[in-house]
Amino acid sequence: MNAKVKKITAATMILMSSLVLASCGFGGHSSSSKDYTTTGSGGGNYQGVIQNGRYKTSKARGINVSQNDNQYNLKSFENGLTQVSKRVFSPKSYIFQEGQYLDTSTLEDWLGRKTKNNPSGLNPAEGKRSNPNPIYIQQIEEQDYMEESGNSMKLKGMTIGIGINSEYNYKKKDDGPSFTKKISDAEVKRQGEIAAAKVLKRVRQKSGVGDIPIVIALYKQAPDDSLVGGSFFAYSKNSGSTISGWHQLNYKTVVLPKASGTTSSTGSASQTDNDSFSNFKSQIQSFFPNLSGVTAQAQYKNGQLNGMHITVTTQFYSQSEIASFTQYIARAAKKYLPNGIPIDIRIQSDSEMQAIVYRDAGSDTFRTHILTSY
Amino acid sequence: MNAKVKKITAATMILMSSLVLASCGFGGHSSSSKDYTTTGSGGGNYQGVIQNGRYKTSKARGINVSQNDNQYNLKSFENGLTQVSKRVFSPKSYIFQEGQYLDTSTLEDWLGRKTKNNPSGLNPAEGKRSNPNPIYIQQIEEQDYMEESGNSMKLKGMTIGIGINSEYNYKKKDDGPSFTKKISDAEVKRQGEIAAAKVLKRVRQKSGVGDIPIVIALYKQAPDDSLVGGSFFAYSKNSGSTISGWHQLNYKTVVLPKASGTTSSTGSASQTDNDSFSNFKSQIQSFFPNLSGVTAQAQYKNGQLNGMHITVTTQFYSQSEIASFTQYIARAAKKYLPNGIPIDIRIQSDSEMQAIVYRDAGSDTFRTHILTSY
C-alpha cells in the first residue's frame, strides 16, 4: 500500500466515524499533504513522530519491561538515554522516533547468552553451574532521531543505550540459596565497551541505517534491591563501524536521607544536600501526625545536585488535611530544599496519589496540584 | 500546661534537636509571640491553623472514612463542603480549622439509629427486618472558621455538612440476597432538614460555640456503585438555635462518556459537553494503542459545566511513550475540551500515576508534569 492510498483510507475512516473529528493531526507540522505529524514540542523536549494519526511505537515495544527486575533501572535508563541524546541531537533540530531498526526478537537474541543456537548473544555461556559467568548485558534500547524531508521523515541519527549489570545473582541449585557476584566498575566498563563494538557493527549493517551518526551510551545498572536506578557513565558518537572513542559522563544517583554513618562517595556537596533534605523532612514530619515516610532520589551531575524526586507517604487524610498539607509542603520546599534544580514531591497514600508539588528546571516557583474528585 | 510553658517546651525541643531547624512556623502569620501560625494561603484557598508547629487535626479525625462505602462520596462531600463555606466565610477574612467541637464518639452516636442505648441517634430504629427503615443520615462533618485575635485564634463561624442517602441497601437474612430501597429527592430533602434542625440545636449548646453563625449544608449521597460522588443541594446560615431558612444549591455530577441512549437530565449543555469529551477521547485513543479507558467526572453548577476530572488508564508505556503521550494529550485537551473551567487529566497505569495534565480555574494554559525516576 503506497502512501497516497494509505492517506485516502485514513480519510475515509474518519468520514465514516459518527463523530465529527478534525483531521487527525494537530501537531506543529500538520498539513494535508503529509502522512507524518508530530506531538508538538515545548520546554526543551523532543517532538515525537505521529504516522497517519497514530504514535509510531517501537519495533521492540515492551521488551524493556522484561529486561529489568528493578523498574527504577528501566525508568532511569530510558530517561537518561534521552538526556545523552540531547547532547548530540538537539531537540530544536531533530524529531524523536521510537526505535524502528532493532526489533524484539533481535534484542532478545542479543541479550541472551552466546550459544550454538544463539550465536549473536552478547553474554558469555553460563560455564560451571557452581560458578557461572555473569549476565553482563542487561538491557538495550534504540532511539531514532529524524528530520522532516518533504512529505516524510528521514533518519538522521540514532542513539543506543546498553545497560551493564553491577552485580549478578545466581543459584547453584534450583532450590538452593541465592549468591551474588559483584562486578567491578572496571569490568562494567570493559564489558560495556566490548558489547558496544559489536552492537555498532551490527546496527551499521542494518538496511536503511546508512552513514548516520550512531551514539552508543553505557549505563551501569543499580542492584535489584536499590531504591534508585543506575547511571550512564560514557558515550561514543560514531560515523563508521568501529567505536571512535569514549566521552566520560559523571552522573550519580543516591537515596536520601542517607543512613547515618554512611561515608559519602559524592563529597561534601552531598552532605550539605542531605542536611537540607533532613531539615525539610523533620519540618514536615513535626507538622503532621502519621507520615509514614519521606524519602528522595537525588541525581548528581559532575558532583553537583541536578534534581530530586521526593516521595511523602501519608496515612489517610481528609481532603482538607491534604489541601493544608500541600500548601505547607510547598512553603517548606522553598525554604529548605536546594535552589536552582528541578524537584518534584509526590504526596501519596498506599493506594493513590493525593497531590503533587513541583518546580521545573529553570523556575523558582513550586506549583501544586491536588488530586480531588467530584 | 499554660500557653507560655508549652512554647518554652517546644523551643527547648528544637534546641535539643541535632538538626539546625528554623523556628517551627514560617506561615504568613508567624511571629515569635504566638502559639498559632497558618499554612499560608494562595489561589483563593483557606489558610489552615498550625498550633505549636503541628497541624491542628479534627477531633473526629478518620471517622469520615468509615462513614462511606463509596470513597467518591467522601471526597466530593469534603470538597463540596469547603466550596459552600466559601460562600459565607471568605478565605480572605477567615482561617480554616478542622472541626474541634464534634468528636468521634459524638458523631458515631448521632450517625447511629435511635435506640434506648443511643437516644441521640439521628436515624430511625430498624423496625421490621423484612422491611427496615432506611439509614438516612450517612455522614456529618464540622469545619471551623477562625480569626486571629491577639496571640490566639477565635472561633467566628462553623459549617456542618450532612450527607443523606439516596438509596438504602439491606438484607432480610444475613445470608440472603441484597435489596435496595430508593429514597426520593423529596425524602432526602425532608430527612436532611429534620436532621439539620436537631444538629443545629445540639451544636449551639456546645461549650465555646456561642452565637457564631452556623452554616448547615445538605448533601445527597451518590449510590455505592457510582463512579462520581453526590452533590450539595441546600444550605442554611443560622444565628440562633433554629433553622432560619434554606438556600437552594444547584450542583450535579455526571460520569462521561454517557452510555448511548441515556436521556440527559442536565439539558442540552450536557450533550454538547459529552460530544466534546467523546471527540477528545476518540482523538487520543486513535493516537495510541492499548489505552484501557478514558473517563471523566464532570460537575455542573446551575446547569453550566464547572469542572472535569479525567482519567486515562494506560497499558505499560516506556518513558518516551509517556512523554510523547503527555505532550499530545495537552494539545488535544486545549483543542477539544471546553474552555474556561478547571480540568485535570490523570495518566496512569494500574499500578501508578505516570503524568498529570491540568488547567487551573481562571487559566487558559494546560500544564504538564511527568512522574519520572532517577
Side-chain angles (χ1 to χ4, degrees), chain A residues 39-40 61 321 327 346 372, chain B residues 39-40 61 321 327 346 372:
Chain A
T39 53
R61 187 167 196 239
E321 286 179 307
Q327 280 179 358
R346 300 155 208 211
T372 59
Chain B
T39 54
R61 186 168 197 237
E321 285 180 308
Q327 281 180 358
R346 300 155 207 212
T372 60

Side-chain angles (χ1 to χ4, degrees), chain A residues 328-350:
Chain A
Y328 189 82
I329 281 192
R331 297 178 74 114
K334 194 173 171 64
K335 178 159 181 173
Y336 291 101
L337 297 177
N339 289 320
I341 55 165
I343 292 176
D344 66 15
I345 304 166
R346 300 155 208 211
I347 299 158
Q348 58 189 36
S349 70
D350 283 346

Side-chain angles (χ1 to χ4, degrees), chain A residues 22-241:
Chain A
S23 101
C24 49
F26 54 85
H29 294 75
S30 168
S31 126
S32 60
S33 63
K34 286 175 192 171
D35 296 329
Y36 291 90
T37 62
T38 67
T39 53
S41 62
N45 296 316
Y46 289 107
Q47 306 184 65
V49 173
I50 303 173
Q51 186 176 16
N52 293 316
R54 283 182 88 84
Y55 185 68
K56 198 167 179 184
T57 54
S58 169
K59 283 277 189 292
R61 187 167 196 239
I63 187 181
N64 37 11
V65 185
S66 60
Q67 286 168 17
N68 286 283
D69 285 332
N70 182 338
Q71 293 299 301
Y72 294 119
N73 272 330
L74 172 57
K75 290 184 184 180
S76 92
F77 178 75
E78 291 184 332
N79 291 323
L81 191 60
T82 302
Q83 296 307 312
V84 172
S85 293
K86 285 182 182 172
R87 293 171 175 252
V88 180
F89 307 114
S90 164
K92 286 182 191 149
S93 312
Y94 293 88
I95 295 162
F96 169 81
Q97 178 180 274
E98 305 275 348
Q100 299 298 316
Y101 294 87
L102 303 178
D103 61 18
T104 299
S105 72
T106 300
L107 286 181
E108 281 174 350
D109 289 348
W110 293 10
L111 292 166
R113 291 187 182 277
K114 185 171 184 171
T115 61
K116 270 184 200 160
N117 288 331
N118 185 32
S120 64
L122 293 171
N123 285 301
E126 185 177 28
K128 273 191 281 190
R129 179 82 197 255
S130 60
N131 186 22
N133 294 311
I135 296 282
Y136 293 106
I137 308 303
Q138 185 64 37
Q139 59 180 331
I140 295 178
E141 191 160 311
E142 171 203 349
Q143 296 182 337
D144 300 341
Y145 290 93
M146 317 296 286
E147 280 178 10
E148 287 199 286
S149 170
N151 288 354
S152 65
M153 296 272 177
K154 278 232 167 88
L155 182 69
K156 292 290 185 178
M158 186 184 285
T159 305
I160 295 175
I162 301 177
I164 305 109
N165 283 322
S166 59
E167 61 179 45
Y168 175 61
N169 300 311
Y170 65 101
K171 288 183 173 184
K172 299 180 184 180
K173 296 177 192 173
D174 282 347
D175 57 351
S178 285
F179 295 86
T180 298
K181 283 189 187 183
K182 294 267 177 201
I183 302 171
S184 70
D185 284 359
E187 188 67 9
V188 167
K189 178 169 178 284
R190 197 177 78 88
Q191 294 291 340
E193 292 179 358
I194 291 170
K198 292 178 187 170
V199 166
L200 175 59
K201 195 159 288 176
R202 294 175 189 179
V203 172
R204 184 66 75 193
Q205 289 168 351
K206 292 270 173 191
S207 168
V209 171
D211 61 355
I212 56 157
I214 298 177
V215 172
I216 311 257
L218 303 181
Y219 174 91
K220 178 184 162 186
Q221 305 267 133
D224 281 353
D225 60 357
S226 174
L227 296 175
V228 66
S231 310
F232 280 94
F233 60 89
Y235 76 97
S236 172
K237 182 185 173 187
N238 308 286
S239 54
S241 294

Side-chain angles (χ1 to χ4, degrees), chain B residues 83-209:
Chain B
Q83 296 307 310
V84 172
S85 294
K86 285 182 182 174
R87 292 170 175 254
V88 180
F89 307 114
S90 164
K92 287 181 190 150
S93 312
Y94 293 87
I95 296 163
F96 169 81
Q97 178 180 272
E98 304 275 348
Q100 299 297 316
Y101 295 86
L102 302 178
D103 62 16
T104 299
S105 72
T106 301
L107 286 181
E108 281 173 350
D109 289 348
W110 292 10
L111 292 166
R113 289 186 183 277
K114 185 171 182 170
T115 61
K116 270 184 199 158
N117 289 330
N118 185 33
S120 64
L122 294 172
N123 285 300
E126 186 177 27
K128 273 192 279 188
R129 179 81 196 258
S130 59
N131 186 22
N133 294 313
I135 296 282
Y136 294 106
I137 308 303
Q138 186 64 37
Q139 59 180 332
I140 295 178
E141 192 160 311
E142 171 202 351
Q143 296 182 336
D144 299 342
Y145 290 93
M146 318 296 286
E147 281 179 8
E148 287 200 285
S149 170
N151 287 355
S152 65
M153 296 273 176
K154 278 233 166 86
L155 182 69
K156 292 290 183 179
M158 187 184 286
T159 305
I160 294 176
I162 301 177
I164 304 110
N165 284 323
S166 58
E167 61 178 46
Y168 175 61
N169 300 311
Y170 65 101
K171 288 182 174 186
K172 299 179 184 179
K173 297 177 192 172
D174 282 346
D175 56 353
S178 283
F179 296 85
T180 298
K181 282 188 187 183
K182 294 267 176 200
I183 302 171
S184 70
D185 284 358
E187 187 66 10
V188 167
K189 178 169 177 283
R190 198 177 78 90
Q191 294 290 340
E193 290 179 0
I194 291 169
K198 294 178 185 168
V199 166
L200 174 59
K201 196 159 287 173
R202 295 175 189 179
V203 171
R204 183 66 74 195
Q205 290 168 351
K206 293 267 171 193
S207 167
V209 171

Side-chain angles (χ1 to χ4, degrees), chain A residues 292-352:
Chain A
S292 306
V294 183
T295 60
Q297 296 180 326
Q299 187 190 55
Y300 287 84
K301 181 177 171 181
N302 301 325
Q304 295 293 311
L305 190 61
N306 195 41
M308 297 173 88
H309 297 302
I310 298 173
T311 302
V312 180
T313 309
T314 62
Q315 304 284 343
F316 173 80
Y317 293 159
S318 68
Q319 297 292 296
S320 51
E321 286 179 307
I322 293 168
S324 292
F325 188 48
T326 302
Q327 280 179 358
Y328 189 82
I329 281 192
R331 297 178 74 114
K334 194 173 171 64
K335 178 159 181 173
Y336 291 101
L337 297 177
N339 289 320
I341 55 165
I343 292 176
D344 66 15
I345 304 166
R346 300 155 208 211
I347 299 158
Q348 58 189 36
S349 70
D350 283 346
S351 59
E352 61 177 5

